[in-house]
Amino acid sequence: MSIRVDRDTGVTAPSGFRAAGVAAGIKSSGGPDLALVVNDGPEFTAAGVFTTNAVKAAPVLWSQEVLRHRRLRAVVLNSGGANAATGPGGFQDTHATAEKVADRLDTGAIEVAVCSTGLIGERLPMDAVLSGVDCAMSRLDTTATAGLAAAGAVLTTDTHAKQAAARASGWSVGGFAKGAGMLAPNLATMLAVLTTDAVLTGEVLDTALRAATRVTFDRLDVDGGTSTNDTVLLLSSGTSGITPDEREFTEALTAVSLDLVHQLRADAEGVTKEIDIVVRGAASEADAITVGRTVAEDNLVKTALFGSDPNWGRIAMAAGRCGARVDPATLSIHINGVTLCSAGGAAADRSAADLSGKEVEIVIDLGVGAAEATILTTDLSHGYVDENSAYSS
Amino acid sequence: MSIRVDRDTGVTAPSGFRAAGVAAGIKSSGGPDLALVVNDGPEFTAAGVFTTNAVKAAPVLWSQEVLRHRRLRAVVLNSGGANAATGPGGFQDTHATAEKVADRLDTGAIEVAVCSTGLIGERLPMDAVLSGVDCAMSRLDTTATAGLAAAGAVLTTDTHAKQAAARASGWSVGGFAKGAGMLAPNLATMLAVLTTDAVLTGEVLDTALRAATRVTFDRLDVDGGTSTNDTVLLLSSGTSGITPDEREFTEALTAVSLDLVHQLRADAEGVTKEIDIVVRGAASEADAITVGRTVAEDNLVKTALFGSDPNWGRIAMAAGRCGARVDPATLSIHINGVTLCSAGGAAADRSAADLSGKEVEIVIDLGVGAAEATILTTDLSHGYVDENSAYSS
C-alpha cells in the first residue's frame, strides 16, 4: 500500500465525526481555546496513550480511566491551562467538563475524554469552560473547516494548526495535534486526536495506536520535557463498514502520525533547524533510542547546530555519555552526507558539511550491532530562550 | 574541625609542589595554554577519578593507566585542544608529552599524568606542546603566583582562574580547577588538580578523593554534558610529616573541592543565576540525585529561571518525568524560602517568590522518604546560546 497524506483535512476526514473550535474565554488573549470532537457512530471504539510522567494532569488521570472501556463518544480539549498539579479540585473540574459534554450528547461522562494544555498549577476558569462547551456544541460540523477550527483551539505557543489525513480504499484516517515546547520522549507535550471510519475492535485500535506512536510521537524530542498532559486518542466511527487489514491500518495511522510529528517539529519553539538523528549499528533498538535522545537533548549539540557548526565532537561526547554501548573505535558520524568522524577520529574536514539549510541529517553509526532508530529534534536558539523566559507557560 | 578555605593560594599551598603556566602556542589566541604541577616529594602517592563517558580522550586513557600505580611525579595539562576522538595518533601524542616531562624530571613516563581540554576531534600541535614543556620546566616555582599561573593556563571559555586551599594543623590541601561548559554529572568537563603535604597511603588518598568528588564535582550539572576529558587528580608530597585522621582529611579535601565547584558554577557559560537544587524526602539518595539532575538539566526550568520566573509547574514536570519515585500528593516545592507548591497543588502565589537576585535556592520535598541530595546548576541564557553557537569549542 502506498499511503498519501494530505493536510487539507484532519479529524473530519473520516465520516462519522463532527468537530468545533471556539473562543471560550479561558485564554486571557481571547483566542480560540476550546475544541470538541464528537463521534456519531455507529461504532464508538477508541484507544489512548498517555504521558509516562509521574505528575499526571487531572484530564490525563480522567481519560486513562475512561479509556479502560475502549469506547468514546467525544473528546473535549482546552488550551489556556493544563489543569496539572491542581489536586482534587482540578480533577473535579475535569469531571464536570466531561459531565457537561455527556449531558449535551445524552450519554455518560465515562464516554467523554478530556485533554488540557497550558500553564501547570492553575485551576481552570470553569464558567468559561462550561459555557464554551455549549458554544462548541452549537457549532459542531462535519466540514474540513470545523476540523481545522478544532485543531486551532488547542494551540498554545504553536504558531498554526496542524492536521493530516490519509485515505485508503473505502476508509480513512485523520487527525490533529498540538505541541510546541515541553516536547519530549514518550509523547511530546502534546495533544493529538486521531479518527477513523474503519471498523476495528478496541484491541486492534489499541495495538495499532501503540505501534504508531512508538515510532512517531515517541520519537520527537525537542527539549526532553515529557509533559504532565501528553495524550494521543484514536476514535473509530465505523461508518465505512470496512475492516481493513491490521497491518494496512497501522501503516496509515503511522503515516498520519508521522506527518503530524513533522509539523510539530517544524513549529517547535524557536526552531531554526529541523534535525533527523539517525542512529545505526546499535546493540539494540533501546540503545539506538537512548543515543538519539541524548544527542537530541544535548544543549552543546543543539547550540552548535543553531550556529550551523558541524561540531561532531559534541555529538561523540553526547553519544558516549548516555550509557548505551558505544565503542570509540567503531564510531562514525555523518552530517548531511559527509563523513566527519570515522573509527572514532576525524575524517573529512568539518567545513565539508554544509549546514546552511533548515534540514539537517545526522547519522551516527555505532558499529556494534544492527539495530537502529531515528529521533526528530530541533536546535536550541535565542528564540527558544526568548519564548521560555519571557512569560510563564 | 572547622575548615576555612581561601582562594589566595592553590596547588602550591601545600609544600613540596612547584607549578608553572605558560603560553606554548597551542591556542591560536596566543594565551596561556600549558600548565605543569610537579611533586618534589618525599612522598609521591596519588589518586585520580575520571569521566564515565565511553568516548574517553587520549589523556584520560593514559592517566587512568598511570594512576593504577597510585604514584605521580607530575601532571602536565594543556588547553587549546581536548585530544579526544583522535585515535591511536592522539594517544601517541599524550604518551610523547608524558615522556618529555619524565625526561626532564629524570623519571619514567608512568609517573606523569596528562590532562587536555578544548575542541574534540583535533590533533594537538605537538611542536608547541613539547617546547611548552621545556618553557614550563624553566619557570616551575613554589610561589602562589606560580600556582595561579598553572590554574590560568588550563582555561578555555572560563573567564578567570579558579583555585582554593585549606590549612589544618600542620598540613594543608590546595588545588585548581577549570570548566565552563560541557559541565555535568560525574565530573564536569573539568580538569582539577589537588595537592596535599599530608602523609597518606594511595588507598587513603583514593578513598578520600572519591568521597569528596561524589558530593562536590559530581553534583555540579550545568548542561548535562559529561565530557570526554573530565579528570580530578590528587597528589601528596608528604612534606608535613603528618598523617591526619582520615575523616579530617576528607573534610578538608571536600571543602576545597566544594569551593572550586562554586567557582566553576559562578563562571559557567552564560550564567546569570547560581542555583542550588535541594531534593529532600526522597526514597533514596540515587532518586534525590536523579530528580536534582533532571531539574538542573531541564531547559524549560532553566529558561524560566533566566527570566526570574518562579514557574514551579515546570519543576514538577521535570521531577515527574525522571523515573524516580515521585508522588504528586506529597510533593512540595519551595523557591527562595517561599512554598509555591504543597501536596502537589498551588500554595503561595508565585509572585511571592523573589528571583531578582543572582542566587536561587529550590527545595523539592518529595515526601516519600528520608534521603536527600543537592545539585548545583545555572540558568539557560542568551549568553549560553551565544557562547556555544558562535564558534567551535
Side-chain angles (χ1 to χ4, degrees), chain B residues 181-199:
Chain B
M182 212 180 282
L183 274 171
N186 304 311
L187 306 190
T189 308
M190 200 202 58
L191 306 180
V193 178
L194 301 162
T195 54
T196 182
D197 48 13
V199 180

Side-chain angles (χ1 to χ4, degrees), chain B residues 60-74:
Chain B
V60 168
L61 296 171
W62 170 260
S63 298
Q64 277 186 316
E65 272 308 300
V66 163
L67 262 298
R68 287 177 186 271
H69 305 277
R70 292 203 175 132
R71 189 180 159 86
L72 278 185
R73 266 308 302 278

Side-chain angles (χ1 to χ4, degrees), chain A residues 224 309 314 317 320 382 393, chain B residues 53-54 314 317 321 382 392-393:
Chain A
D309 172 15
R314 294 181 180 180
M317 176 276 295
H382 286 298
S393 62
Chain B
N53 198 306
R314 293 181 180 181
M317 176 277 295
R321 73 177 166 87
H382 287 299
S392 281
S393 62

Side-chain angles (χ1 to χ4, degrees), chain A residues 7 13 114 233 247 381:
Chain A
R7 297 174 179 176
V114 181
L233 300 172
R247 197 173 58 82
S381 68

Side-chain angles (χ1 to χ4, degrees), chain B residues 176-268:
Chain B
F176 65 73
K178 69 77 51 183
M182 212 180 282
L183 274 171
N186 304 311
L187 306 190
T189 308
M190 200 202 58
L191 306 180
V193 178
L194 301 162
T195 54
T196 182
D197 48 13
V199 180
L200 296 156
T201 65
E203 286 66 30
V204 171
L205 281 188
D206 187 70
T207 303
L209 182 60
R210 287 177 197 284
T213 54
R214 201 179 70 81
V215 295
T216 56
F217 293 111
D218 281 359
R219 296 286 171 87
L220 176 66
D221 188 351
V222 167
D223 55 13
T226 303
S227 102
T228 50
N229 290 56
D230 300 334
T231 300
V232 182
L233 300 173
L234 171 61
L235 292 75
S236 163
S237 65
T239 54
S240 72
I242 297 168
T243 298
D245 173 74
E246 203 171 321
R247 198 174 55 83
E248 200 183 352
F249 178 72
T250 304
E251 277 179 30
L253 189 67
T254 303
V256 169
S257 298
L258 189 62
D259 191 85
L260 289 171
V261 164
H262 279 129
Q263 293 185 58
L264 291 173
R265 177 174 65 177
D267 195 26

